[in-house]
mmCIF file with all atom_site columns, all heavy atoms in Angstrom:
data_model
loop_
_atom_site.group_PDB
_atom_site.id
_atom_site.type_symbol
_atom_site.label_atom_id
_atom_site.label_alt_id
_atom_site.label_comp_id
_atom_site.label_asym_id
_atom_site.label_entity_id
_atom_site.label_seq_id
_atom_site.pdbx_PDB_ins_code
_atom_site.Cartn_x
_atom_site.Cartn_y
_atom_site.Cartn_z
_atom_site.occupancy
_atom_site.B_iso_or_equiv
_atom_site.pdbx_formal_charge
_atom_site.auth_seq_id
_atom_site.auth_comp_id
_atom_site.auth_asym_id
_atom_site.auth_atom_id
_atom_site.pdbx_PDB_model_num
ATOM 1   N N   . THR A 1 12  ? -13.666 18.773 -5.830  1.00 94.00 ? 12  THR A N   1
ATOM 2   C CA  . THR A 1 12  ? -14.802 19.667 -6.104  1.00 94.00 ? 12  THR A CA  1
ATOM 3   C C   . THR A 1 12  ? -14.749 20.138 -7.560  1.00 94.00 ? 12  THR A C   1
ATOM 4   O O   . THR A 1 12  ? -13.827 19.812 -8.288  1.00 94.00 ? 12  THR A O   1
ATOM 5   C CB  . THR A 1 12  ? -14.771 20.886 -5.176  1.00 94.00 ? 12  THR A CB  1
ATOM 6   O OG1 . THR A 1 12  ? -13.492 21.491 -5.308  1.00 94.00 ? 12  THR A OG1 1
ATOM 7   C CG2 . THR A 1 12  ? -15.009 20.497 -3.742  1.00 94.00 ? 12  THR A CG2 1
ATOM 8   N N   . GLU A 1 15  ? -18.986 16.760 -11.278 1.00 86.00 ? 15  GLU A N   1
ATOM 9   C CA  . GLU A 1 15  ? -20.256 16.150 -10.916 1.00 86.00 ? 15  GLU A CA  1
ATOM 10  C C   . GLU A 1 15  ? -19.932 14.902 -10.120 1.00 86.00 ? 15  GLU A C   1
ATOM 11  O O   . GLU A 1 15  ? -19.096 14.093 -10.525 1.00 86.00 ? 15  GLU A O   1
ATOM 12  C CB  . GLU A 1 15  ? -21.051 15.774 -12.172 1.00 86.00 ? 15  GLU A CB  1
ATOM 13  C CG  . GLU A 1 15  ? -22.527 15.463 -11.910 1.00 86.00 ? 15  GLU A CG  1
ATOM 14  C CD  . GLU A 1 15  ? -22.774 14.154 -11.169 1.00 86.00 ? 15  GLU A CD  1
ATOM 15  O OE1 . GLU A 1 15  ? -22.003 13.197 -11.354 1.00 86.00 ? 15  GLU A OE1 1
ATOM 16  O OE2 . GLU A 1 15  ? -23.713 14.099 -10.375 1.00 86.00 ? 15  GLU A OE2 1
ATOM 17  N N   . THR A 1 43  ? -16.941 7.377  -4.485  1.00 83.00 ? 43  THR A N   1
ATOM 18  C CA  . THR A 1 43  ? -17.344 7.026  -3.130  1.00 83.00 ? 43  THR A CA  1
ATOM 19  C C   . THR A 1 43  ? -18.854 7.105  -2.918  1.00 83.00 ? 43  THR A C   1
ATOM 20  O O   . THR A 1 43  ? -19.321 7.239  -1.810  1.00 83.00 ? 43  THR A O   1
ATOM 21  C CB  . THR A 1 43  ? -16.628 7.956  -2.137  1.00 83.00 ? 43  THR A CB  1
ATOM 22  O OG1 . THR A 1 43  ? -16.914 9.318  -2.501  1.00 83.00 ? 43  THR A OG1 1
ATOM 23  C CG2 . THR A 1 43  ? -15.137 7.741  -2.167  1.00 83.00 ? 43  THR A CG2 1
ATOM 24  N N   . ARG A 1 55  ? -39.068 -3.392 -14.733 1.00 97.00 ? 55  ARG A N   1
ATOM 25  C CA  . ARG A 1 55  ? -39.868 -2.208 -15.085 1.00 97.00 ? 55  ARG A CA  1
ATOM 26  C C   . ARG A 1 55  ? -40.150 -2.159 -16.590 1.00 97.00 ? 55  ARG A C   1
ATOM 27  O O   . ARG A 1 55  ? -39.545 -2.858 -17.391 1.00 97.00 ? 55  ARG A O   1
ATOM 28  C CB  . ARG A 1 55  ? -39.152 -0.947 -14.633 1.00 97.00 ? 55  ARG A CB  1
ATOM 29  C CG  . ARG A 1 55  ? -39.043 -0.873 -13.115 1.00 97.00 ? 55  ARG A CG  1
ATOM 30  C CD  . ARG A 1 55  ? -38.509 0.470  -12.658 1.00 97.00 ? 55  ARG A CD  1
ATOM 31  N NE  . ARG A 1 55  ? -38.257 0.454  -11.214 1.00 97.00 ? 55  ARG A NE  1
ATOM 32  C CZ  . ARG A 1 55  ? -39.077 0.975  -10.297 1.00 97.00 ? 55  ARG A CZ  1
ATOM 33  N NH1 . ARG A 1 55  ? -40.214 1.546  -10.651 1.00 97.00 ? 55  ARG A NH1 1
ATOM 34  N NH2 . ARG A 1 55  ? -38.749 0.925  -9.016  1.00 97.00 ? 55  ARG A NH2 1
ATOM 35  N N   . GLY A 1 69  ? -27.592 14.567 -13.767 1.00 83.00 ? 69  GLY A N   1
ATOM 36  C CA  . GLY A 1 69  ? -28.331 15.773 -14.127 1.00 83.00 ? 69  GLY A CA  1
ATOM 37  C C   . GLY A 1 69  ? -27.512 16.728 -14.962 1.00 83.00 ? 69  GLY A C   1
ATOM 38  O O   . GLY A 1 69  ? -28.021 17.723 -15.463 1.00 83.00 ? 69  GLY A O   1
ATOM 39  N N   . GLY A 1 171 ? -19.720 42.717 -3.482  1.00 77.00 ? 171 GLY A N   1
ATOM 40  C CA  . GLY A 1 171 ? -20.448 41.474 -3.289  1.00 77.00 ? 171 GLY A CA  1
ATOM 41  C C   . GLY A 1 171 ? -19.739 40.528 -2.347  1.00 77.00 ? 171 GLY A C   1
ATOM 42  O O   . GLY A 1 171 ? -20.371 39.877 -1.517  1.00 77.00 ? 171 GLY A O   1
ATOM 43  N N   . ARG A 1 175 ? -17.612 42.484 2.280   1.00 76.00 ? 175 ARG A N   1
ATOM 44  C CA  . ARG A 1 175 ? -18.443 41.885 3.323   1.00 76.00 ? 175 ARG A CA  1
ATOM 45  C C   . ARG A 1 175 ? -17.703 40.750 4.030   1.00 76.00 ? 175 ARG A C   1
ATOM 46  O O   . ARG A 1 175 ? -18.253 40.129 4.935   1.00 76.00 ? 175 ARG A O   1
ATOM 47  C CB  . ARG A 1 175 ? -19.731 41.319 2.712   1.00 76.00 ? 175 ARG A CB  1
ATOM 48  C CG  . ARG A 1 175 ? -20.554 42.370 1.980   1.00 76.00 ? 175 ARG A CG  1
ATOM 49  C CD  . ARG A 1 175 ? -21.913 41.800 1.654   1.00 76.00 ? 175 ARG A CD  1
ATOM 50  N NE  . ARG A 1 175 ? -22.539 42.530 0.550   1.00 76.00 ? 175 ARG A NE  1
ATOM 51  C CZ  . ARG A 1 175 ? -23.760 42.256 0.098   1.00 76.00 ? 175 ARG A CZ  1
ATOM 52  N NH1 . ARG A 1 175 ? -24.462 41.308 0.630   1.00 76.00 ? 175 ARG A NH1 1
ATOM 53  N NH2 . ARG A 1 175 ? -24.279 42.934 -0.886  1.00 76.00 ? 175 ARG A NH2 1
ATOM 54  N N   . THR A 1 239 ? -44.259 17.694 -30.750 1.00 98.00 ? 239 THR A N   1
ATOM 55  C CA  . THR A 1 239 ? -44.714 17.671 -32.128 1.00 98.00 ? 239 THR A CA  1
ATOM 56  C C   . THR A 1 239 ? -45.097 19.085 -32.544 1.00 98.00 ? 239 THR A C   1
ATOM 57  O O   . THR A 1 239 ? -45.330 19.942 -31.704 1.00 98.00 ? 239 THR A O   1
ATOM 58  C CB  . THR A 1 239 ? -45.900 16.702 -32.289 1.00 98.00 ? 239 THR A CB  1
ATOM 59  O OG1 . THR A 1 239 ? -46.197 16.574 -33.670 1.00 98.00 ? 239 THR A OG1 1
ATOM 60  C CG2 . THR A 1 239 ? -47.119 17.177 -31.537 1.00 98.00 ? 239 THR A CG2 1
ATOM 61  N N   . SER B 2 65  ? -28.888 42.764 1.587   1.00 68.00 ? 65  SER B N   1
ATOM 62  C CA  . SER B 2 65  ? -28.392 42.797 2.962   1.00 68.00 ? 65  SER B CA  1
ATOM 63  C C   . SER B 2 65  ? -26.872 42.935 3.033   1.00 68.00 ? 65  SER B C   1
ATOM 64  O O   . SER B 2 65  ? -26.156 42.304 2.261   1.00 68.00 ? 65  SER B O   1
ATOM 65  C CB  . SER B 2 65  ? -28.836 41.503 3.645   1.00 68.00 ? 65  SER B CB  1
ATOM 66  O OG  . SER B 2 65  ? -27.943 41.174 4.670   1.00 68.00 ? 65  SER B OG  1
ATOM 67  N N   . LYS B 2 68  ? -24.536 38.899 4.259   1.00 82.00 ? 68  LYS B N   1
ATOM 68  C CA  . LYS B 2 68  ? -25.378 37.972 3.528   1.00 82.00 ? 68  LYS B CA  1
ATOM 69  C C   . LYS B 2 68  ? -25.627 36.724 4.364   1.00 82.00 ? 68  LYS B C   1
ATOM 70  O O   . LYS B 2 68  ? -24.717 36.205 5.007   1.00 82.00 ? 68  LYS B O   1
ATOM 71  C CB  . LYS B 2 68  ? -24.692 37.585 2.220   1.00 82.00 ? 68  LYS B CB  1
ATOM 72  C CG  . LYS B 2 68  ? -24.496 38.762 1.305   1.00 82.00 ? 68  LYS B CG  1
ATOM 73  C CD  . LYS B 2 68  ? -23.733 38.385 0.064   1.00 82.00 ? 68  LYS B CD  1
ATOM 74  C CE  . LYS B 2 68  ? -22.276 38.100 0.355   1.00 82.00 ? 68  LYS B CE  1
ATOM 75  N NZ  . LYS B 2 68  ? -21.521 37.830 -0.885  1.00 82.00 ? 68  LYS B NZ  1
ATOM 76  N N   . CYS B 2 79  ? -27.814 13.581 -8.497  1.00 91.00 ? 79  CYS B N   1
ATOM 77  C CA  . CYS B 2 79  ? -27.318 13.563 -9.868  1.00 91.00 ? 79  CYS B CA  1
ATOM 78  C C   . CYS B 2 79  ? -26.857 14.932 -10.318 1.00 91.00 ? 79  CYS B C   1
ATOM 79  O O   . CYS B 2 79  ? -26.508 15.098 -11.476 1.00 91.00 ? 79  CYS B O   1
ATOM 80  C CB  . CYS B 2 79  ? -28.398 13.026 -10.798 1.00 91.00 ? 79  CYS B CB  1
ATOM 81  S SG  . CYS B 2 79  ? -29.727 14.204 -11.139 1.00 91.00 ? 79  CYS B SG  1
ATOM 82  N N   . THR B 2 80  ? -26.924 15.943 -9.418  1.00 93.00 ? 80  THR B N   1
ATOM 83  C CA  . THR B 2 80  ? -26.529 17.316 -9.719  1.00 93.00 ? 80  THR B CA  1
ATOM 84  C C   . THR B 2 80  ? -27.555 18.041 -10.594 1.00 93.00 ? 80  THR B C   1
ATOM 85  O O   . THR B 2 80  ? -27.375 19.195 -10.958 1.00 93.00 ? 80  THR B O   1
ATOM 86  C CB  . THR B 2 80  ? -25.103 17.382 -10.334 1.00 93.00 ? 80  THR B CB  1
ATOM 87  O OG1 . THR B 2 80  ? -24.250 16.533 -9.556  1.00 93.00 ? 80  THR B OG1 1
ATOM 88  C CG2 . THR B 2 80  ? -24.483 18.755 -10.276 1.00 93.00 ? 80  THR B CG2 1
ATOM 89  N N   . ALA B 2 117 ? -12.481 25.963 -3.632  1.00 95.00 ? 117 ALA B N   1
ATOM 90  C CA  . ALA B 2 117 ? -11.656 25.121 -2.761  1.00 95.00 ? 117 ALA B CA  1
ATOM 91  C C   . ALA B 2 117 ? -11.920 23.646 -3.028  1.00 95.00 ? 117 ALA B C   1
ATOM 92  O O   . ALA B 2 117 ? -13.018 23.258 -3.417  1.00 95.00 ? 117 ALA B O   1
ATOM 93  C CB  . ALA B 2 117 ? -11.949 25.440 -1.299  1.00 95.00 ? 117 ALA B CB  1
ATOM 94  N N   . VAL B 2 153 ? -19.551 7.821  1.011   1.00 94.00 ? 153 VAL B N   1
ATOM 95  C CA  . VAL B 2 153 ? -18.449 8.268  1.860   1.00 94.00 ? 153 VAL B CA  1
ATOM 96  C C   . VAL B 2 153 ? -17.848 9.504  1.184   1.00 94.00 ? 153 VAL B C   1
ATOM 97  O O   . VAL B 2 153 ? -17.657 9.509  -0.026  1.00 94.00 ? 153 VAL B O   1
ATOM 98  C CB  . VAL B 2 153 ? -17.357 7.190  2.014   1.00 94.00 ? 153 VAL B CB  1
ATOM 99  C CG1 . VAL B 2 153 ? -16.270 7.663  2.977   1.00 94.00 ? 153 VAL B CG1 1
ATOM 100 C CG2 . VAL B 2 153 ? -17.941 5.869  2.499   1.00 94.00 ? 153 VAL B CG2 1
ATOM 101 N N   . SER B 2 158 ? -19.124 9.145  6.480   1.00 96.00 ? 158 SER B N   1
ATOM 102 C CA  . SER B 2 158 ? -20.354 8.625  5.897   1.00 96.00 ? 158 SER B CA  1
ATOM 103 C C   . SER B 2 158 ? -21.329 9.759  5.632   1.00 96.00 ? 158 SER B C   1
ATOM 104 O O   . SER B 2 158 ? -21.207 10.859 6.193   1.00 96.00 ? 158 SER B O   1
ATOM 105 C CB  . SER B 2 158 ? -20.996 7.632  6.870   1.00 96.00 ? 158 SER B CB  1
ATOM 106 O OG  . SER B 2 158 ? -21.386 8.315  8.042   1.00 96.00 ? 158 SER B OG  1
ATOM 107 N N   . ASP B 2 273 ? -47.815 12.318 -31.359 1.00 97.00 ? 273 ASP B N   1
ATOM 108 C CA  . ASP B 2 273 ? -47.791 12.852 -32.718 1.00 97.00 ? 273 ASP B CA  1
ATOM 109 C C   . ASP B 2 273 ? -49.089 12.564 -33.487 1.00 97.00 ? 273 ASP B C   1
ATOM 110 O O   . ASP B 2 273 ? -49.103 12.599 -34.714 1.00 97.00 ? 273 ASP B O   1
ATOM 111 C CB  . ASP B 2 273 ? -46.566 12.297 -33.488 1.00 97.00 ? 273 ASP B CB  1
ATOM 112 C CG  . ASP B 2 273 ? -46.205 13.170 -34.696 1.00 97.00 ? 273 ASP B CG  1
ATOM 113 O OD1 . ASP B 2 273 ? -46.575 14.366 -34.696 1.00 97.00 ? 273 ASP B OD1 1
ATOM 114 O OD2 . ASP B 2 273 ? -45.587 12.644 -35.631 1.00 97.00 ? 273 ASP B OD2 1
ATOM 115 N N   . ASP B 2 326 ? -42.619 4.667  -8.219  1.00 98.00 ? 326 ASP B N   1
ATOM 116 C CA  . ASP B 2 326 ? -43.275 3.380  -7.969  1.00 98.00 ? 326 ASP B CA  1
ATOM 117 C C   . ASP B 2 326 ? -44.798 3.493  -7.924  1.00 98.00 ? 326 ASP B C   1
ATOM 118 O O   . ASP B 2 326 ? -45.463 2.590  -7.416  1.00 98.00 ? 326 ASP B O   1
ATOM 119 C CB  . ASP B 2 326 ? -42.756 2.783  -6.646  1.00 98.00 ? 326 ASP B CB  1
ATOM 120 C CG  . ASP B 2 326 ? -41.313 2.305  -6.774  1.00 98.00 ? 326 ASP B CG  1
ATOM 121 O OD1 . ASP B 2 326 ? -41.029 1.573  -7.735  1.00 98.00 ? 326 ASP B OD1 1
ATOM 122 O OD2 . ASP B 2 326 ? -40.467 2.690  -5.927  1.00 98.00 ? 326 ASP B OD2 1
#
Side-chain angles (χ1 to χ4, degrees):
Chain A
T12 54
E15 195 289 327
T43 55
R55 295 188 187 260
R175 302 191 202 182
T239 188
Chain B
S65 153
K68 297 176 289 184
C79 75
T80 315
V153 184
S158 65
D273 200 23
D326 289 310

